[in-house]
Amino acid sequence: MTATNKVKNLQPRLMNYFAKLVATKKLAHAYLFAGPEGAGKRELAVWIAQGIYCEHAAAGRPCLECSECHRIAAGNQPDVVYVAPDGLSIKVEQIRFLKDEFSKSGVESNKKVFIIENAEKMTVSAANSLLKFLEEPSGQVVAFLLTTQPAALLPTIVSRCQLFELQPLSARQLTALLEAENVPREKAVLLGRLTNSLERARQLAQAPVFDKLSGSVCQWYLHILQNDWRCFVEVQTKLMAEVTNKEDEKILLDLLLLLGKDSLELTNGEKESAFKKYQTRFAEQLAGISSARVAEGTELFLQTLYLLRINVSFQNTIEALTLKLCRCYHG
Ligand SMILES: [Zn+2]
């Protein structure tokens, strides 16, 4: 799937808005796109840049087929320059480089676009250097600053830009996008509930441990709901055996929190579980447990976050959770 298909689904309203500005040549010279990871900030900026240079643009919308569109998508168009943090920050040398690029003669047209990712990571000197640039735009420059944390940018920078807040994706939108990328429906539904970032969902979809771990955690939880002692064994033989690093721990933790939330929602009449394969079996078991106890169980899932934050070991936390859930549901 191309970046543009993504934007088409993600931000149709903003795409219409910017296509008109491109077509009427009324783009301002600095925009700030703020929004969570995966909301399509970069894709939108790239799409607008493609609209500016495309050989067959129609009403400001790029064709996505021509060489200009391809070069921009690949980062090979000299008039469209990307800047991203070099290590932890965007340094003043990077902004100076940007200015030099733009002052060079022989670039391919008068119009220039730059896209600064994680703009909040600019050092103060980089931000000040950019500020001068924004104040005296040389020629026709359009700047797109992208950030997840607009509050972390210098106010002087923000005030030079038009701010657009990109909304996070809904679970339904995310599920549909994943299905369009051939992720099976069951998994797409689960991922859509687990995160609101398309990037994170894609990462998880490809993580080798994900399918195994999501299956094991459901089986473990079903045994807890059934008051089956095998849940205690499974902490060791399944969950801990499958989790091999911090990233796996994070995936397991996210799945646990979702199980807690999902149980409460199923008890409260939600029709579609995030865990489709187990939905019927979960619902059957939960029907035999009072809603007060289910709510208490959800609290126990949330407590794992606290325990991990105060450095209780991961395995101890999961073992304690297993015991507490069994007592809560069946005690
Ligand atoms: Zn094109």
Side-chain angles (χ1 to χ4, degrees):
M1 186 188 236
T2 66
T4 309
N5 287 335
K6 260 163 71 181
V7 178
K8 201 174 285 172
N9 292 300
L10 298 189
Q11 303 291 347
R13 200 178 50 80
L14 287 176
M15 290 172 73
N16 288 336
Y17 175 84
F18 278 102
K20 270 181 208 148
L21 294 181
V22 170
T24 55
K25 302 194 190 311
K26 284 183 182 156
L27 281 169
H29 73 254
Y31 293 97
L32 177 59
F33 290 167
E37 204 190 308
K41 299 182 292 293
R42 184 179 201 274
E43 290 82 357
L44 181 62
V46 170
W47 186 83
I48 298 166
Q50 286 171 320
I52 295 171
Y53 298 96
C54 176
E55 291 159 7
H56 314 290
R61 310 176 86 88
C63 73
L64 306 175
E65 305 290 339
C66 70
S67 64
E68 290 291 302
C69 285
H70 281 296
R71 284 205 302 169
I72 292 168
N76 291 331
Q77 213 284 22
D79 288 329
V80 179
V81 180
Y82 298 90
V83 180
D86 174 12
L88 292 176
S89 60
I90 296 176
K91 300 180 176 69
V92 67
E93 296 76 30
Q94 290 179 271
I95 301 296
R96 281 194 196 123
F97 168 78
L98 192 73
K99 290 183 182 177
D100 290 347
E101 278 299 296
F102 283 166
S103 59
K104 271 183 202 161
S105 57
V107 271
E108 302 188 11
S109 73
N110 308 322
K111 283 167 287 177
K112 290 154 184 73
V113 171
F114 63 83
I115 298 172
I116 302 185
E117 298 194 57
N118 301 103
E120 77 283 354
K121 297 211 168 129
M122 279 187 286
T123 61
V124 172
S125 50
N128 283 326
S129 175
L130 177 69
L131 205 54
K132 281 182 209 137
F133 194 31
L134 292 181
E135 278 163 355
E136 319 160 17
S138 44
Q140 294 171 275
V141 174
V142 184
F144 295 100
L145 279 64
L146 318 181
T147 185
T148 52
Q149 298 168 268
L153 279 157
L154 286 183
T156 40
I157 294 276
V158 178
S159 69
R160 293 292 186 290
C161 299
Q162 289 190 20
L163 172 66
F164 285 83
E165 294 193 58
L166 277 69
Q167 295 305 314
L169 301 184
S170 69
R172 198 179 296 263
Q173 268 180 307
L174 197 47
T175 298
L177 288 169
L178 293 167
E179 280 192 276
E181 295 179 14
N182 298 323
V183 175
R185 165 116 190 121
E186 254 172 37
K187 189 170 176 178
V189 168
L190 174 57
L191 290 167
R193 300 278 184 96
L194 211 50
T195 172
N196 58 19
S197 158
L198 184 59
E199 282 159 52
R200 173 75 180 153
R202 283 186 177 139
Q203 258 175 25
L204 289 174
Q206 283 162 15
V209 78
F210 186 79
D211 290 328
K212 216 174 181 187
L213 199 52
S214 52
S216 298
V217 82
C218 284
Q219 191 58 51
W220 163 84
Y221 188 52
L222 185 64
H223 284 150
I224 291 178
L225 291 170
Q226 293 170 332
N227 206 11
D228 183 326
W229 60 272
R230 278 178 291 179
C231 60
F232 292 100
V233 182
E234 281 161 355
V235 172
Q236 187 63 40
T237 59
K238 295 277 187 177
L239 304 184
M240 287 305 128
E242 285 160 18
V243 167
T244 55
N245 54 44
K246 285 279 169 200
E247 172 58 19
D248 296 350
E249 285 184 10
K250 190 175 176 327
I251 296 174
L252 178 55
L253 187 62
D254 286 347
L255 287 165
L256 290 172
L257 294 173
L258 185 62
L259 270 175
K261 191 165 162 260
D262 196 70
S263 301
L264 195 60
E265 287 170 354
L266 279 178
T267 301
N268 292 335
E270 167 68 42
K271 292 204 175 54
E272 195 180 37
S273 166
F275 303 90
K276 284 182 81 65
K277 204 170 159 189
Y278 282 79
Q279 166 152 1
T280 317
R281 284 172 284 176
F282 283 168
E284 274 168 14
Q285 297 301 320
L286 287 164
I289 300 169
S290 76
S291 53
R293 288 195 176 204
V294 174
E296 208 179 303
T298 302
E299 281 296 316
L300 293 171
F301 278 108
L302 287 170
Q303 274 176 23
T304 56
L305 276 181
Y306 168 76
L307 290 174
L308 291 171
R309 207 169 290 142
I310 59 170
N311 275 330
V312 177
S313 86
F314 197 76
Q315 181 166 343
N316 287 348
T317 304
I318 307 302
E319 282 171 352
L321 175 66
T322 310
L323 185 62
K324 286 183 200 162
L325 282 171
C326 284
R327 283 192 186 142
C328 169
Y329 293 153
H330 311 291

